[in-house]
Amino acid sequence: LPPAGVDVLQARHRVGVGGIELEQALERLYAEGESWAELDGVLAAELAWAPPAEHVTLRYRRAELRARHLGDRPGAIDLLEEVVAAQPGHADGRELLEEQLRDPSQRLRVAKVLEPLYLRDQLWKDLAGVLRIQRERAAGPEAALLLGRVAMIEERELDLGKAAFDTWAQALAADPGAPEPQAAILRLAATYDRWHDAAVAFDAAATAAGGALAIAVPLRQHVAEICDQSLGDNPRAIAAYRALIALDPGDVERLGPALAALARLHEDEEQWPELRAVIARQAELAGPRRVEFLARAAELDEQRLGEPDRAIATWREVLADVPDHPAALANLERLYQARDRWRDFAGLLRHKVDLADLPAARIAELRRLAEVHEVMLAEPGEAIAAHLEVLDHAGDDTGALAG
């Protein structure tokens, strides 16, 4: 058609003369001449009088023009939103939307438009993809929530449990305090034997939590328990329990079990000095069990560390708390004699005299005390005094009279 003819058609179009034949003629002419803006104008005008059944097609054609010929991706997406809102199953509309995902400036917006469409049609892999795109612009709890949705799709709908584990680990990194990723990681680690990876994930999250004790402490506890119970890695578990204790040394509720675990691990590894230090800490905290831990420490001092004098000092602490403690009395008596600590031995015998309830027991200890003063300490006066005490309890005691 000559240019003059085109001008006539345009004029008739402007005044609304010519009907559908005119619109179709202009569409053909503008398309052939690649007059895309003019073609878009004609399609927009058609929306004013076209029946509703044709609106989706017209909007899609306009969206295609804007996306592929006019460089107006935002305008194209506006129209495509209307297309899929009216007709969610519109395949061409979806395909054109998916093409727009390549535009970084529109990627997030398009992903949000596609999300309900994929969910509606249970296109799980595609849904996971657009959720990951949304995660690219999210952080913190929002990112963790999106990644959690991806992980659930991977595990429940795509049968990709191992991939779901990795995604939950990413969610934990995004929000270390979120409980859902922690529970899922523990569950999937048990299923797929990924305890090493679980420990790494919890350790990284605890490090990221920094001084936020309410978040970091449970994470460090996960690391310690995994290394101890699931991996059987004693050196790593020891380091993890130490890190847990260092976070909050005043948390007695957690400290007790952590110290108990450390004591067991050090004993398994025959790390006696380290075990002794842990038991000393337990004794400081244990309250009613203090004496029990001191007694164990004293046994370590003598039997494992070869420090009898330190064992004596520890048993004396036990005796200070429980004056009639049988093991403390017996071990101190044995150690004092083995170490030739006769002055201390005499003091212990005097202590046993004071403890004795029955005269016979008191007399027996006094006789021993008299012998120590006379033979070992060369203190006849003290020996005589002890014999005189025997006579106070038994005036006819021939041994005391002979002494």
Side-chain angles (χ1 to χ4, degrees):
L1 193 67
V6 174
D7 292 340
V8 170
L9 289 174
Q10 290 175 331
R12 292 178 68 185
H13 181 258
R14 283 194 295 271
V15 297
V17 178
I20 190 169
E21 293 82 3
L22 175 61
E23 302 288 350
Q24 291 174 343
L26 281 173
E27 283 183 34
R28 184 175 65 255
L29 288 169
Y30 288 145
E32 291 174 354
E34 297 186 357
S35 299
W36 308 121
E38 290 78 1
L39 177 55
D40 182 55
V42 171
L43 296 175
E46 287 185 40
L47 281 168
W49 54 264
E54 296 181 16
H55 286 191
V56 168
T57 299
L58 288 168
R59 288 192 176 99
Y60 172 74
R61 291 180 62 193
R62 292 190 67 208
E64 191 175 31
L65 277 174
R66 288 171 178 257
R68 293 178 177 163
H69 298 296
L70 295 174
D72 181 13
R73 292 183 184 275
I77 295 168
D78 290 340
L79 289 161
L80 289 169
E81 282 194 78
E82 296 180 39
V83 169
V84 296
Q87 193 175 322
H90 195 285
D92 289 337
R94 285 197 191 187
E95 184 178 349
L96 189 55
L97 273 170
E98 288 165 349
E99 288 181 18
Q100 310 317 305
L101 289 172
R102 294 194 289 266
D103 183 347
S105 66
Q106 303 301 319
R107 186 173 169 83
L108 177 61
R109 180 186 175 191
V110 174
K112 289 182 176 180
V113 175
L114 288 169
E115 178 189 340
L117 304 179
Y118 292 152
L119 180 61
R120 169 185 175 273
D121 293 341
Q122 298 185 357
L123 298 173
W124 303 117
K125 185 176 180 180
D126 294 327
L127 178 57
V130 295
L131 291 173
R132 284 194 176 278
I133 288 172
Q134 293 178 58
R135 184 264 176 272
E136 293 171 0
R137 299 291 183 89
E142 182 185 359
L145 183 61
L146 289 165
L147 287 165
R149 291 181 62 193
V150 173
M152 286 188 284
I153 291 169
E154 289 172 332
E155 182 180 2
R156 299 174 185 177
E157 309 298 344
L158 300 176
D159 196 24
L160 297 172
K162 292 182 180 179
F165 177 95
D166 294 330
T167 304
W168 278 119
Q170 294 168 21
L172 180 66
D175 185 8
E180 294 83 1
Q182 296 182 36
I185 287 170
L186 291 171
R187 175 174 52 79
L188 291 171
T191 301
Y192 297 104
D193 193 24
R194 294 193 61 180
W195 291 114
H196 171 79
D197 296 325
V200 169
F202 286 128
D203 184 67
T207 300
L213 295 182
I215 296 173
V217 168
L219 292 168
R220 290 289 179 206
Q221 186 160 346
H222 285 319
V223 176
E225 290 174 353
I226 288 170
C227 294
D228 181 10
Q229 300 166 19
S230 301
L231 293 174
D233 186 340
N234 286 3
R236 194 172 169 195
I238 288 169
Y241 279 120
R242 284 176 174 170
L244 172 61
I245 291 169
L247 268 179
D248 189 7
D251 185 351
V252 178
E253 183 178 347
R254 291 185 187 272
L255 191 56
L259 287 171
L262 264 182
R264 171 175 49 78
L265 291 164
H266 285 313
E267 186 164 16
D268 288 347
E269 295 295 305
E270 298 186 356
Q271 296 173 338
W272 308 122
E274 292 83 356
L275 175 58
R276 176 61 170 82
V278 170
I279 292 173
R281 187 78 181 277
Q282 288 178 300
E284 293 173 3
L285 300 172
R289 296 187 63 194
R290 168 180 157 81
V291 167
E292 173 190 340
F293 289 118
L294 285 173
R296 191 178 178 201
E299 291 171 356
L300 274 175
D301 289 335
E302 182 181 2
Q303 298 170 16
R304 298 296 185 182
L305 297 173
E307 298 184 32
D309 289 332
R310 190 180 186 190
I312 288 171
T314 308
W315 281 121
R316 291 177 74 160
E317 285 189 68
V318 173
L319 211 58
D321 286 357
V322 183
D324 60 348
H325 193 281
L329 291 169
N331 280 288
L332 281 172
E333 183 169 325
R334 176 179 55 79
L335 287 165
Y336 283 151
Q337 292 180 83
R339 303 291 291 170
D340 292 335
R341 291 177 59 166
W342 301 111
R343 180 71 60 194
D344 292 324
F345 183 42
L348 180 67
L349 291 174
R350 172 56 66 184
H351 178 73
K352 293 178 72 174
V353 169
D354 295 339
L355 288 175
D357 294 326
L358 299 175
R362 192 174 297 114
I363 288 170
E365 298 301 340
L366 283 168
R367 285 174 176 166
R368 296 177 68 199
L369 178 59
E371 183 180 2
V372 169
H373 279 302
E374 181 179 357
V375 176
M376 299 301 177
L377 295 174
E379 295 176 342
E382 295 295 330
I384 291 170
H387 285 304
L388 290 173
E389 285 188 64
V390 171
L391 291 174
D392 288 341
H393 294 291
D396 57 352
D397 186 277
T398 56
L401 290 170

